[in-house]
Amino acid sequence: GTLPSIADTGANVRYPELDLSSLGKFFRGYGWPEYARALLDGDTIGEKCFRSYEDLFDEPLTRDELESASKDVASWPMESDNLGGVGFGVLRSGQDENQLAAIMQYGHANAGHAHRDRLGIEVISGGKRVVPDAGYPTHAAEHPDPPVWEKNTVSHMCVVVNESRQDTSDEGELVRFAKGVRVQHIEVSSPRAYLGIDTYQRGVTLVELEPDLNVMVDLFHVKGGWAHDYSFHGFEGEFFTDGVSFDTQNGGTLAGPQIAYGEIYDDPELVEHARMPGPPGTNGKRSYGSYHGSGFSYLYNVARGRLNGQFAGNWKDDEMGLRMLVPEGVAQEVITAQGKPPNKPSSPDHFDYVLLRNRGDSEADRLHSIFAVVCETFRNQPRITGVDRLSASSEDAIGIKVSWEDGICYLASNTGEGETVTFDEGLALDGGFGVLTLGKDGKARWGCVSGRLISLLKATVSGPGTWRGTVREVDFEGCSVVVEPSPGCERPPCNETLAGSNITHVWNFPVESVSEESGSYRLKLGAERLRIGRFVIDEEIEDGLSTRTWIHREWEDTEDSGCHYLIGARVAHKGRLWEIEKVYPRPDVGGHRFVFSGSIPYSGPDYGDPVIFDLGPGDDCVMRQTVYQEF
């Protein structure tokens, strides 16, 4: 029920806000009991329904109406969730003041309000934004601050590649999502964040080590390019570091000692265009929104140090503390700096940033980084005593050892496929992700694995591995699919996430039920509909359709033209189901031109106008089940 600061949303950088006005609209539209419960908890009844100007046009909600609708929901659900349709994941661990939550936004967002922050995360603990996304920028008009800094990749909790902003804001591909008693996990690959980069994949895990001790483990795999900068910042408060000796840079900014604050040092053409008369677009004048550089000149008070042991960054105020722990071996250099959030009433003067930096050969363009960060929040004193990186037998894998007074937690991640990876201290992983914890006595307590096994000494957690199949039929109105398992795979699991693709288009849905149908299986998907769009035909052309309906208001036919997420989706029209091969904007008349690559018969409902569906027959699909075990 709280409002995350995704792109141009969120006005309060300190505390998440309960958006009761929007919840009221959602309840009126959908009638969901969870919305009714949240409105009751927020006392949004009678005249208190009027939270915005738009609310004046709706009938006030009554207590009887909300209590009747929410009678089977005792409280707002506080479990982890993944909304595959929009590409939004939220992890929740712990309760009340011990609750830790992480939010990841990975869906397509190419409208004008998008930020260059695919796979960016925000962290909330005990109701406080401890790793805040600053949200809406200072200016809505033509100005350098929003595109060069406030919307740029470096100001968010992301990895900057080759000292430039992300190339696109296109959708990421869900690798796995797991929610359990003690482990919450989401892992997403974003191959189009930086075009030409081999790997850009993030796995975020919340682990409940004790009922009052929850930690976040962030593993970010990046392969390709010559420069990788992992950007992190905490909330307003006292900031101090441990474990690294820093040399303070004499003036300037992160862009260099001679580069002034806010200077557009890496795009001189844009500086010249800014001096031209008239608005952007006049005589070819570029907008500040076309900036593609680093934004490093907005980070000041720079200090640098080498990572030769464990590093700790600490943020603390009167309410709580945040500790960022970085093991040796994941970065060459640690940089601290300050950056200003958008100028809003709730904004502090600055945020304190920590950047983990790796540099490689600019000609080889083959730099490989696996950034590892463990975050702990605390009220009195931190309890994590150490974080170590474990050497792995594969360059695509990393092992992390987290120690505290009463035990040890081992976490392993591997972006490779089909091999068992061994780590220091006898840890082994056959799969993509796993956790094993030991008590103070050295005995295994519990573990989980997404794959075939994770083992340490005599403790082993086994799993079925990855289930794979192909979509053969789709019930577009009933929101179910018939899938055929791949050779070696049997009955697909229930209550897991089904992720699918046809190379260009990706999707994912939760599976609510599984039933056998003549050697194949029907999966009921947790979705209200599979339609993702519709449009009015302007003209039928030889290889597709033209429409004046705007799908995205992007003018140029570029890699970042805003409609990539539709490529590979299906269009139902005149009894045929067509696959979208390309979408071109039509700036002269408005709307878009769809180019189709082929079709199959369609026997679903006739909606009158063409309808776009998220998936179709022939799509490949996978489920990466996570198995939990107590010892």
Side-chain angles (χ1 to χ4, degrees), residues 368 370 389-399 412-431:
H368 187 188
I370 307 179
R389 176 177 182 171
L390 306 179
S391 296
S393 60
S394 169
E395 67 171 10
D396 295 322
I398 185 171
S413 170
N414 178 27
T415 59
E417 292 281 349
E419 61 176 326
T420 298
V421 181
T422 57
F423 303 86
D424 290 343
E425 302 191 16
L427 183 68
L429 174 70
D430 181 356

Side-chain angles (χ1 to χ4, degrees), residues 543-623:
D543 55 356
L545 299 170
S546 290
T547 175
R548 291 180 184 267
T549 305
W550 280 110
I551 309 300
H552 268 296
R553 295 188 66 88
E554 302 287 348
W555 296 102
E556 299 180 37
D557 176 25
T558 66
E559 282 281 7
D560 193 22
S561 63
C563 291
H564 179 269
Y565 78 103
L566 291 175
I567 299 174
R570 310 306 206 282
V571 171
H573 177 57
K574 291 186 175 180
R576 306 292 294 180
L577 192 65
W578 303 83
E579 184 172 323
I580 300 173
E581 182 178 297
K582 191 69 177 176
V583 184
Y584 296 99
R586 303 171 69 202
D588 296 334
V589 297
H592 292 79
R593 177 167 66 90
F594 290 86
V595 176
F596 299 148
S597 62
S599 70
I600 59 175
Y602 169 75
S603 58
D606 183 0
Y607 297 95
D609 299 320
V611 171
I612 305 173
F613 289 111
D614 213 3
L615 70 164
D619 286 2
D620 295 324
C621 52
V622 301
M623 277 194 276

Side-chain angles (χ1 to χ4, degrees), residues 338-397:
Q338 293 177 339
K340 294 184 178 297
N343 186 10
K344 295 182 289 192
S346 68
S347 295
D349 174 72
H350 68 271
F351 286 136
D352 287 289
Y353 278 76
V354 172
L355 289 95
L356 307 179
R357 170 166 286 186
N358 285 327
R359 289 293 182 268
D361 187 339
S362 59
E363 294 184 2
D365 214 34
R366 294 295 301 166
L367 182 62
H368 187 188
S369 300
I370 307 179
F371 294 106
V373 171
V374 176
C375 289
E376 171 193 9
T377 59
F378 56 92
R379 298 288 174 175
N380 297 310
Q381 295 295 324
R383 295 167 60 186
I384 301 301
T385 57
V387 174
D388 299 287
R389 176 177 182 171
L390 306 179
S391 296
S393 60
S394 169
E395 67 171 10
D396 295 322

Side-chain angles (χ1 to χ4, degrees), residues 234-355:
F235 60 88
E236 177 188 15
E238 178 189 4
F239 173 69
F240 57 96
T241 64
D242 301 300
V244 169
S245 297
F246 287 94
D247 294 323
T248 301
Q249 179 176 292
N250 184 20
T253 60
L254 181 61
Q258 308 304 318
I259 305 299
Y261 179 83
E263 181 180 342
I264 303 179
Y265 70 99
D266 47 1
D267 194 341
E269 180 187 85
L270 181 59
V271 176
E272 292 299 320
H273 278 236
R275 299 191 181 105
M276 295 168 59
T282 305
N283 298 320
K285 179 180 179 179
R286 287 174 56 195
S287 165
Y288 285 117
S290 66
Y291 177 75
H292 203 281
S294 69
F296 287 173
S297 64
Y298 280 75
L299 286 167
Y300 58 97
N301 290 341
V302 177
R304 305 169 186 268
R306 307 301 294 182
L307 184 61
N308 296 319
Q310 177 182 282
F311 165 78
N314 304 271
W315 293 258
K316 197 172 189 308
D317 64 9
D318 293 337
E319 289 183 277
M320 65 171 58
L322 166 69
R323 198 166 184 231
M324 167 201 190
L325 293 167
V326 182
E328 183 179 8
V330 301
Q332 300 160 353
E333 186 179 24
V334 180
I335 300 170
T336 63
Q338 293 177 339
K340 294 184 178 297
N343 186 10
K344 295 182 289 192
S346 68
S347 295
D349 174 72
H350 68 271
F351 286 136
D352 287 289
Y353 278 76
V354 172
L355 289 95

Side-chain angles (χ1 to χ4, degrees), residues 176 417 450-452 464-468 489 622-625:
R176 61 178 53 84
E417 292 281 349
S450 176
R452 295 196 177 278
T466 300
W467 181 93
R468 300 182 185 276
C489 295
V622 301
M623 277 194 276
R624 296 180 172 94
Q625 185 177 4

Side-chain angles (χ1 to χ4, degrees), residues 6 44 57 62 125 169 201 259 293 450 470 544 552 556-557 565 576 591:
I6 297 174
T44 314
F57 299 93
T62 67
S125 178
S169 294
Q201 183 166 320
I259 305 299
S450 176
T470 303
H552 268 296
E556 299 180 37
D557 176 25
Y565 78 103
R576 306 292 294 180

